[in-house]
Amino acid sequence: MTSQGARRSQAERDAVTVEIGYALFSAAFAAVVLFGAVAGPAYVFELPAGARRVLVGGGVAVAVAVFAVRVVSVLLRFQRAGQPRHPGRTSPDS
């Protein structure tokens, strides 16, 4: 239900589903890329065990943080944008 107590239309539910999927997919992609950037040298070069552990741990920490921040930011931006009154139509002032 919406904040006014009315039920959401199928289009609104679909929009929320698509936005959640986009948030998760884009967050996972960003997390993988940043993990590779931080921890990649640990797998490419022969490094001591301590340095490898630090790089991989740092990569995991960065990936988790980026994933969480990306999901939250996408979903908050979607919530603030609001839903169009007539999906598929543009308003005269747009």
Side-chain angles (χ1 to χ4, degrees):
M1 291 195 174
T2 63
S3 60
Q4 294 85 12
R7 292 193 176 266
R8 289 185 175 159
S9 70
Q10 184 63 43
E12 290 171 330
R13 289 192 308 265
D14 289 346
V16 169
T17 302
V18 168
E19 199 66 22
I20 290 170
Y22 169 73
L24 292 173
F25 180 78
S26 66
F29 181 77
V32 166
V33 168
L34 285 172
F35 175 80
V38 173
Y43 295 107
V44 175
F45 304 112
E46 298 268 338
L47 298 175
R52 181 179 206 144
R53 199 173 313 118
V54 168
L55 285 174
V56 172
V60 168
V62 168
V64 168
V66 165
F67 183 86
V69 168
R70 178 69 181 161
V71 168
V72 169
S73 68
V74 168
L75 294 179
L76 285 177
R77 186 175 59 227
F78 176 72
Q79 182 182 13
R80 272 188 254 123
Q83 297 294 315
R85 288 189 181 87
H86 302 285
R89 297 184 194 169
T90 60
S91 61
D93 58 345
S94 63

